[in-house]
């Protein structure tokens, strides 16, 4: 048994033993004790064991249902949540986009215009930010972007430092730009669901876009400059660059230049229509999940589609959806049993809102060192942040968004996030080392935390999300 597993097991069993004694914590009811015990065991298992995160979450949800803390309708009903359907349909749409090769055309168009290293970095960053609207989840975007990186690495093979810089740039921007859209990460959907269950506040696709896109663009380009300056020297940045469409074509199965095919035109029109309808939800009042379902049906239709439905459904991360559903049920249990309120009852209630948000941002930024799953971090943190915010007089929407945005930083170790792992080991291509990640994190972690805090305190209030209730 390794040290981390032993420590996690000791902590979990100690907490359960304390909760089992009725004389301890007299303010806690029976359901709250059971919820905290299950929550502690699940969290320690996520931290200290190699067991699949989804298996742990399902076990926790089942335990809460079997003990009567939540009903079976609550557990199974989370699978029918709008946000789950939104993610399923978004993956079907992403499969249609990937099948047509539109991503390769976009990469050739954007990156091919770069004439200097800095232009290449920021055009690549802009392209990666845009993919947040077409491909849900960071791991899917990383897989889509990998061929583009390989093409750039081949074209810059004689400039090793630039290749290493680009290897670090891709996962960094993919992770930080996910906050641009509601479908950017499963953690966002968990946050929206927990907010709705706990406070009745609903964040729609349009509102998330309004709040998240400016932060995503700013943090991504700030991170791009940071990666450029910490990974390369001035001499590396001086020489010109020239990336041709032919070099990108070698790593793409579909044409990246020339006339568009009918499938590409249909898919581009469909994607543009879906994104426009998502963004204009306040005008037509059609749920983003319904819009996504319509788009998925059209994208997989025999006459107009570009992918068969059964092939598209194979790309859906069903494990992630089950994980989301189970952790949503855990969040309901924490709120309804009073466990979350009790956990934060000992915190000082007279804390300045800016100080409260600062603590939330710092804890959420550092949480990836303990919980590697982004969704697990939100499952653990967001219910507690919301309960603490209500007690401190802080707007729970602002606090939850700040926590979720800050938790998007997970660059310290190769195992901290799937995109970081994917780009850390590419056979035949030079890439970054753990030391490169640590050097970047030492600069980028405080920068991104400060940026999130600035948006939560100064920008989001201008966009309708005040700091206080």
């Amino acid at each position: 048994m390794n040290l981390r597993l032993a420590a996690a097991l000791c902590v979990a069993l100690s907490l359960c033993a304390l909760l089992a004694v009725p004389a301890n914590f007299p303010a806690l009811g029976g359901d709250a004790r059971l919820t905290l015990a299950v929550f502690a065991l699940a969290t320690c298992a996520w931290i200290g064991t190699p067991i699949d995160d989804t298996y742990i979450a399902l076990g926790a949800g089942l335990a809460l249902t079997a003990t009567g803390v939540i009903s079976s309708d609550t557990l199974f009903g989370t699978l029918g949540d709008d946000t789950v359907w939104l993610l399923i349909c978004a993956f079907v749409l992403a499969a249609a986009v990937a099948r047509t090769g539109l991503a390769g055309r976009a990469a050739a168009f954007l990156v091919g215009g770069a004439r200097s290293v800095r232009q290449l970095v920021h055009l690549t960053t802009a392209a990666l930010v845009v993919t947040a609207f077409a491909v849900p989840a960071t791991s899917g975007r990383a897989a889509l972007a990998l061929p583009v990186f390989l093409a750039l690495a081949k074209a810059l093979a004689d400039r090793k430092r630039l290749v290493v810089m680009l290897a670090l740039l891709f996962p960094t921007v993919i992770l930080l730009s996910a906050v641009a859209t509601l479908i950017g990460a499963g953690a966002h959907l968990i946050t929206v669901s927990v907010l709705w269950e706990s406070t009745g506040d609903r964040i729609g696709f349009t509102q998330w876009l309004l709040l998240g896109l400016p932060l995503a663009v700013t943090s991504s380009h700030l991170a791009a400059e940071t990666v450029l300056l910490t990974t390369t020297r001035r001499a590396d940045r001086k020489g010109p660059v020239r990336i041709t469409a032919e070099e990108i074509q070698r790593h793409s199965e579909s044409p990246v230049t020339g006339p568009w095919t009918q499938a590409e035109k249909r898919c581009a029109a469909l994607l543009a229509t879906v994104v426009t309808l998502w963004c204009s939800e306040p005008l037509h009042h059609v749920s983003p999940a319904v819009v996504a379902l319509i788009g998925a049906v059209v994208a997989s239709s025999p006459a107009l589609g570009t992918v068969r439905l059964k092939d598209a459904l194979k790309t859906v991360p069903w494990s992630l959806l089950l994980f989301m559903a189970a952790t949503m049920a855990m969040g309901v249990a924490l709120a309804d049993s009073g466990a979350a309120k009790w956990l934060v009852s000992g915190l000082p209630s007279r804390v300045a809102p800016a100080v409260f948000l600062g603590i939330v941002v710092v804890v959420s930024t550092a949480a990836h060192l303990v919980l590697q799953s982004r969704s697990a971090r939100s499952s653990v943190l967001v219910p507690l942040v919301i309960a603490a915010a209500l007690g401190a007089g802080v707007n729970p929407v602002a606090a939850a968004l700040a926590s979720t945005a800050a938790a998007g930083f997970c660059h310290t170790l190769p195992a901290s996030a799937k995109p970081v792992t994917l780009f850390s080991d590419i056979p035949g291509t030079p890439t970054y080392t753990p030391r490169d990640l640590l050097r970047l994190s030492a600069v980028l972690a405080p920068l991104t935390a400060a940026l999130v805090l600035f948006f939560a305190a100064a920008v989001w209030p201008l966009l309708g999300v005040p700091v206080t209730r």
Side-chain angles (χ1 to χ4, degrees), residues 26 59 181 219 280 303 464:
T181 70
S219 61
S280 58

PDB file of all heavy atoms in Angstrom, residues 26 59 181 219 280 303 464:
ATOM      1  N   PRO A  26     -23.379  17.353  17.959  1.00  0.00           N
ATOM      2  CA  PRO A  26     -24.816  17.171  18.241  1.00  0.00           C
ATOM      3  C   PRO A  26     -25.738  17.907  17.269  1.00  0.00           C
ATOM      4  O   PRO A  26     -26.915  17.553  17.143  1.00  0.00           O
ATOM      5  CB  PRO A  26     -24.961  17.733  19.664  1.00  0.00           C
ATOM      6  CG  PRO A  26     -23.763  18.612  19.875  1.00  0.00           C
ATOM      7  CD  PRO A  26     -22.668  18.009  19.067  1.00  0.00           C
ATOM      8  N   GLY A  59     -20.722   4.443  -6.644  1.00  0.00           N
ATOM      9  CA  GLY A  59     -20.819   3.789  -5.343  1.00  0.00           C
ATOM     10  C   GLY A  59     -21.328   4.742  -4.271  1.00  0.00           C
ATOM     11  O   GLY A  59     -22.163   4.365  -3.433  1.00  0.00           O
ATOM     12  N   THR A 181     -17.311  28.435 -22.654  1.00  0.00           N
ATOM     13  CA  THR A 181     -18.664  27.952 -22.915  1.00  0.00           C
ATOM     14  C   THR A 181     -19.117  26.979 -21.836  1.00  0.00           C
ATOM     15  O   THR A 181     -18.305  26.369 -21.134  1.00  0.00           O
ATOM     16  CB  THR A 181     -18.760  27.236 -24.268  1.00  0.00           C
ATOM     17  OG1 THR A 181     -18.055  25.982 -24.196  1.00  0.00           O
ATOM     18  CG2 THR A 181     -18.175  28.063 -25.379  1.00  0.00           C
ATOM     19  N   SER A 219      -7.303  35.167 -20.426  1.00  0.00           N
ATOM     20  CA  SER A 219      -6.397  34.230 -19.754  1.00  0.00           C
ATOM     21  C   SER A 219      -5.610  33.402 -20.760  1.00  0.00           C
ATOM     22  O   SER A 219      -4.429  33.094 -20.533  1.00  0.00           O
ATOM     23  CB  SER A 219      -7.178  33.306 -18.815  1.00  0.00           C
ATOM     24  OG  SER A 219      -8.121  32.529 -19.529  1.00  0.00           O
ATOM     25  N   SER A 280     -28.485  33.140 -28.744  1.00  0.00           N
ATOM     26  CA  SER A 280     -29.679  33.991 -28.779  1.00  0.00           C
ATOM     27  C   SER A 280     -30.829  33.396 -27.971  1.00  0.00           C
ATOM     28  O   SER A 280     -31.995  33.723 -28.219  1.00  0.00           O
ATOM     29  CB  SER A 280     -30.125  34.213 -30.233  1.00  0.00           C
ATOM     30  OG  SER A 280     -30.392  32.973 -30.874  1.00  0.00           O
ATOM     31  N   ALA A 303     -30.048  12.133 -44.909  1.00  0.00           N
ATOM     32  CA  ALA A 303     -30.015  13.038 -46.054  1.00  0.00           C
ATOM     33  C   ALA A 303     -29.059  14.204 -45.869  1.00  0.00           C
ATOM     34  O   ALA A 303     -28.320  14.562 -46.791  1.00  0.00           O
ATOM     35  CB  ALA A 303     -31.429  13.564 -46.325  1.00  0.00           C
ATOM     36  N   GLY A 464     -23.880  41.739 -14.719  1.00  0.00           N
ATOM     37  CA  GLY A 464     -25.093  41.241 -14.060  1.00  0.00           C
ATOM     38  C   GLY A 464     -24.891  40.248 -12.957  1.00  0.00           C
ATOM     39  O   GLY A 464     -25.874  39.671 -12.463  1.00  0.00           O
TER      40      GLY A 464
END
